[in-house]
Amino acid sequence: ADDDSIDEWIQIFGSNSVDNIAKEEASTGHDTNKSRSTVEAEKAKTLAFKILLGAVHEPINDQGTVGFHLNKPIGGHGSAYCDIVYMDHELRIMRGHSGSIYVF
């Protein structure tokens, strides 16, 4: 990937988007283009991930890799996971632990 792609990826996924919105609003004194309900939904989703899955966000590295460690098992037995194979603004392709392919 080229440097511009990595920089854009890091800007989008590099830190907590809710914190970024709050910082931007505080520094400019203006509301960002995200509505309050969107910010609150992001906060609720993040909290749910932490409570239900024990999700811990790992910092992004220089290659743009983002990781999450789940402290609680999904499904309650064995090991389950989904890898994101491809993602852009319109398409996401994931591969599950049993080889299933998901396209959204």
Side-chain angles (χ1 to χ4, degrees):
D2 62 358
D3 288 339
D4 291 337
S5 295
I6 295 292
D7 290 343
E8 184 178 359
W9 182 265
I10 290 172
Q11 182 181 16
I12 293 169
F13 297 105
S15 60
N16 187 331
S17 60
V18 174
D19 290 342
N20 288 343
I21 292 167
K23 287 177 187 174
E24 184 178 337
E25 288 177 352
S27 67
T28 63
H30 300 100
D31 283 344
T32 63
N33 55 358
K34 285 201 173 189
S35 68
R36 284 282 156 209
S37 61
T38 302
V39 172
E40 294 302 322
E42 287 290 326
K43 286 181 181 179
K45 192 183 326 177
T46 300
L47 180 61
F49 288 148
K50 286 180 181 179
I51 292 172
L52 297 175
L53 300 174
V56 177
H57 182 266
E58 298 170 2
I60 194 166
N61 67 20
D62 294 338
Q63 290 78 37
T65 302
V66 179
F68 290 89
H69 178 76
L70 304 179
N71 293 322
K72 298 179 183 178
I74 299 173
H77 52 64
S79 176
Y81 62 88
C82 279
D83 288 327
I84 297 175
V85 178
Y86 176 82
M87 185 169 78
D88 64 16
H89 294 292
E90 298 177 12
L91 179 69
R92 178 176 34 179
I93 301 173
M94 298 169 50
R95 179 179 296 124
H97 68 281
S98 62
S100 302
I101 301 293
Y102 303 94
V103 180
F104 300 97

